[in-house]
Amino acid sequence: MAEKKKNQPTDEGKSGTATAKPKRASKTAPKRNPPQMLPPWKVLLHNDDKNEVGFVVRTIVELTTLNEQDAKERTDEANQTGVALLLTTHKERAELYKDQFESKGLTVSIEPAEK
């Protein structure tokens, strides 16, 4: 009788039948809806008695994409009526604008825009 080597695998305990791995169910990608526009928000400039017109105009030009003429028109409107619409954007950006204007000492509010 031949001796078995210690490191050789043995066939003991094997049944001799092959087992197949279970098939995985194929995953279907979730249906994606097209991206929707974020709801619009208004950024409103309020009139105050503490800031000069030139400072307000320069600040609007610095913080927004409005040119000097448009900034002047918005500032004049705020002086005459008490409030002027600066721009409309999504909520997070409107909040950022509000914080930036307030850090410069201007009074700005945000509110949802009607569709």
Side-chain angles (χ1 to χ4, degrees), residues 37-44 64 85-98 110-113:
M37 294 293 294
L38 294 172
W41 282 69
K42 297 177 187 177
V43 179
L44 303 169
T64 70
L85 174 65
L86 284 178
L87 51 94
T88 304
T89 186
H90 59 86
K91 184 177 182 180
E92 290 78 13
R93 181 164 285 173
E95 290 171 342
L96 175 63
Y97 278 123
K98 181 178 185 295
I110 64 171
E111 66 181 39

Side-chain angles (χ1 to χ4, degrees), residues 44-51 53 56 74-84 106-108:
L44 303 169
L45 173 68
H46 296 271
N47 186 32
D48 63 36
D49 295 328
K50 60 184 178 180
N51 292 300
V53 171
V56 176
R74 304 303 200 290
T75 303
D76 290 342
E77 181 182 349
N79 279 332
Q80 293 169 5
T81 65
V83 66
L106 299 178
T107 305
V108 171

Side-chain angles (χ1 to χ4, degrees), residues 30-41:
K31 291 183 179 179
R32 294 182 183 238
N33 293 330
Q36 301 295 315
M37 294 293 294
L38 294 172
W41 282 69

Side-chain angles (χ1 to χ4, degrees), residues 46-67:
H46 296 271
N47 186 32
D48 63 36
D49 295 328
K50 60 184 178 180
N51 292 300
E52 295 180 2
V53 171
F55 172 74
V56 176
V57 171
R58 285 190 305 276
T59 303
I60 293 170
V61 170
E62 177 186 334
L63 297 179
T64 70
T65 59
L66 295 174
N67 61 36

